Amino acid sequence: MASKVIVIGPVEGGFPALLDKVSKLHSKNSFSLAIFLGDLFSNPEVSSDEDDANVFDLINGKITIPLPTYFTLGKHPLPGPVIEKLEQSDDELCPNLYFLGKRSTTRTSEGIRIVNLGGSLDPSITAGLSKEKFLPFHTEDDAKALRGANSADILLTSHWPTDVRKGSKVVLPDGVETPQGERCVADLCSALRPRYHFSTSSDAFYEREPFFHPPTEKEPEAKPITRFLSLASSSNPTKQKSLYAFSIDPTSSTPITLPPGTTASPLTTTRKRERLPNQEESYSRFSTTQNGDHYRPHKRSRFNDRSRKPPPGPQDCFFCLSNPTVKTHLIASIGNDTYLTTAKGPLSTSSTFPSISFPTHLLIIPFEHSPTLGSISVPDDRARTYKEMQRYRRALHSFLISKSGTKLGAVMWEVSRAAGIHTHWQFLPVPSDLVKKGLVEAAFKVEAENEKYPVSFRNKDVGDGTGEKGDFFRVWIWVPGEEDVVDGQRDGEVKGADDDEVEEKRGKQKCLVMPLNADFRFDLQFGRRVMAKLLGLEARMNWRDCAQTDEEETKDAEAFKEAFKKFDWALED
């Protein structure tokens, strides 16, 4: 069912009059929700006594808001009283008025998915997620993290995407120049393929012709369409359009036929990361608390409490960087399509491996919110994600060689299920002797037999997941060779880790795959359980029994990052 939405451009303190206008329009049109885009409040540095009084009245409920209304972070800081109230009220400024934060994914009660990136790009921060949720600045990694939302009905950004006017015949009003765009916003729009992308331009309204994105494997005949609109400030001198109302049905399918005038997408994506000045700079940008942006859903639930809930979306997924409550203090490295993080409730401890003084239980996680690698619909995205995950795996092997020579090998496992939530690989060192004696391979096979799984492991690699039909469990077992230690120097780069490679070429490796089907119930902790028994860590079989404080997690993550920095290719790309 279609819902009516109204979007309002920057009002910069003039919200009492605009809210009154929206109320009158709502009484005639019955909007489902309203969105204030850009600066709702005046710049605190130049605000008047009247502005301050209006803020006081709004916070204290003296201004009525008749429908669910959201507001974003614009290009100015928020007023102090607004920040104070938001910190105390879970981002609800007053009844029916909710703050979308700087980086968020929101699903309304009507099922409309809104992705929001507030503020301007801060060029001084070259890596990491922004820490201060109320400052009007974002990083490239904030934009990159939101790509994990996979899709959006409505995308909100303070700035235009670079090149959005390319191929357009729509002209701007006389005397108005094209606002400066941001490449990271263009990449975000290309990744999410929103139905609507709203931005702001203070003195002009701009509505581009619709443009289509390339089709996907899942919908080879469909070309998702985006409508880009930029709303003027409500106080613009030429009375340019500052309000836009439309209807949207989030359940409708992608049209097969393109509307008249539709163009190809003008947006070109870039994946290259700027080289970081140093390792300490990159990691100082990660938050080590839970006080970052957070998802603030509409209070009404779209689903009946008695019905079966759908799988968590990106806004609720523990592995999605677009979920503002993600544990960023665990993140060790952020690539272009994936990231590396230490495990919560790690199986290993700081004393498990004598040559490593911290737990080395790690996860490699794609940005894209997809249950399997094979279900990433865009072939180039899937291939790029798989290649980058393997690149992290090779870098971890180099790290192990630098720490232990040939004494430690590694196990990496994956559960690939169409009914999963967010695919990932788990990495754990293992004594090389256990690998060479065949005990690691035997442990996985014997545990499967003990569980009476009606299938067996096969020596097979399925690449990016498309090489196996249906669900499967995969494990890589790797051990280094004597020739992989470079002249006994274990602190530098290790030979054989060519960035253009996809698979590991050093040492010896075996990949085992076990098909999963509906004939038996598979334990998602199978891989951890096998490794726990193999390493004599049965007491740590359940990750919940291995909980650490935030301080302990941060200490271990920082120790790993310091040791891994020589092999972290993401810092050099």
Side-chain angles (χ1 to χ4, degrees), residues 59-130:
I59 291 176
N60 289 279
K62 296 182 179 181
I63 299 177
T64 301
I65 301 177
L67 76 162
T69 302
Y70 300 88
F71 71 100
T72 67
L73 187 63
K75 300 174 184 178
H76 303 315
L78 296 175
V82 170
I83 294 175
E84 184 178 349
K85 178 63 181 293
L86 293 175
E87 289 178 333
Q88 298 173 353
S89 61
D90 194 23
D91 285 349
E92 182 176 2
L93 186 60
C94 62
N96 262 346
L97 184 59
Y98 308 102
F99 179 49
L100 285 175
K102 178 185 298 184
R103 182 192 80 245
S104 65
T105 302
T106 302
R107 189 179 182 89
T108 73
S109 60
E110 296 79 19
I112 299 171
R113 176 176 286 181
I114 302 172
V115 175
N116 168 65
L117 178 67
S120 304
L121 181 65
D122 187 344
S124 67
I125 302 179
T126 54
L129 305 177
S130 55

Side-chain angles (χ1 to χ4, degrees), residues 58 89 109 162 288 302 339-340 388 403-404 411 431 447 510:
L58 182 66
S89 61
S109 60
T162 299
T288 56
R302 181 187 176 203
Y339 71 99
L340 177 68
E388 192 168 289
K403 285 293 185 182
S404 69
V411 173
E447 188 66 21
K510 178 172 286 188

Side-chain angles (χ1 to χ4, degrees), residues 8 25 102 217 230 240 242 260 282 304 321 331 333 336 360 365 388 407 409-410 417 520 559:
I8 305 97
L25 291 171
K102 178 185 298 184
E217 280 187 343
S230 184
Q240 290 283 308
S242 62
S282 68
N304 187 295
L321 292 182
I331 296 174
S333 173
N336 295 311
T360 317
I365 306 173
E388 192 168 289
K407 293 181 180 179
R417 296 169 62 249
F520 66 99

Side-chain angles (χ1 to χ4, degrees), residues 6 58 186 197 280 287 389 420:
I6 183 168
L58 182 66
H197 181 175
E280 288 72 25
S287 169
M389 294 177 81

Side-chain angles (χ1 to χ4, degrees), residues 120-128 137-140 274-278 281-282 284-285:
S120 304
L121 181 65
D122 187 344
S124 67
I125 302 179
T126 54
F137 302 104
H138 61 251
T139 69
E140 289 188 356
E274 295 294 327
R275 184 181 179 90
L276 300 177
N278 56 65
E281 172 72 6
S282 68
S284 69
R285 305 302 179 182

Side-chain angles (χ1 to χ4, degrees), residues 328-398:
T328 55
H329 64 284
L330 299 176
I331 296 174
S333 173
I334 296 181
N336 295 311
D337 297 276
T338 63
Y339 71 99
L340 177 68
T341 178
T342 55
K344 193 168 184 63
L347 175 60
S348 54
T349 70
S350 58
S351 60
T352 301
F353 309 110
S355 58
I356 306 175
S357 59
F358 44 81
T360 317
H361 185 175
L362 303 159
L363 278 66
I364 304 174
I365 306 173
F367 286 159
E368 182 154 344
H369 182 73
S370 180
T372 67
L373 277 175
S375 62
I376 296 177
S377 59
V378 180
D380 287 348
D381 290 351
R382 181 173 63 247
R384 197 166 47 240
T385 297
Y386 174 72
K387 182 177 180 179
E388 192 168 289
M389 294 177 81
Q390 288 286 8
R391 193 176 180 186
Y392 268 128
R393 189 167 75 96
R394 294 196 309 273
L396 290 171
H397 291 171
S398 297

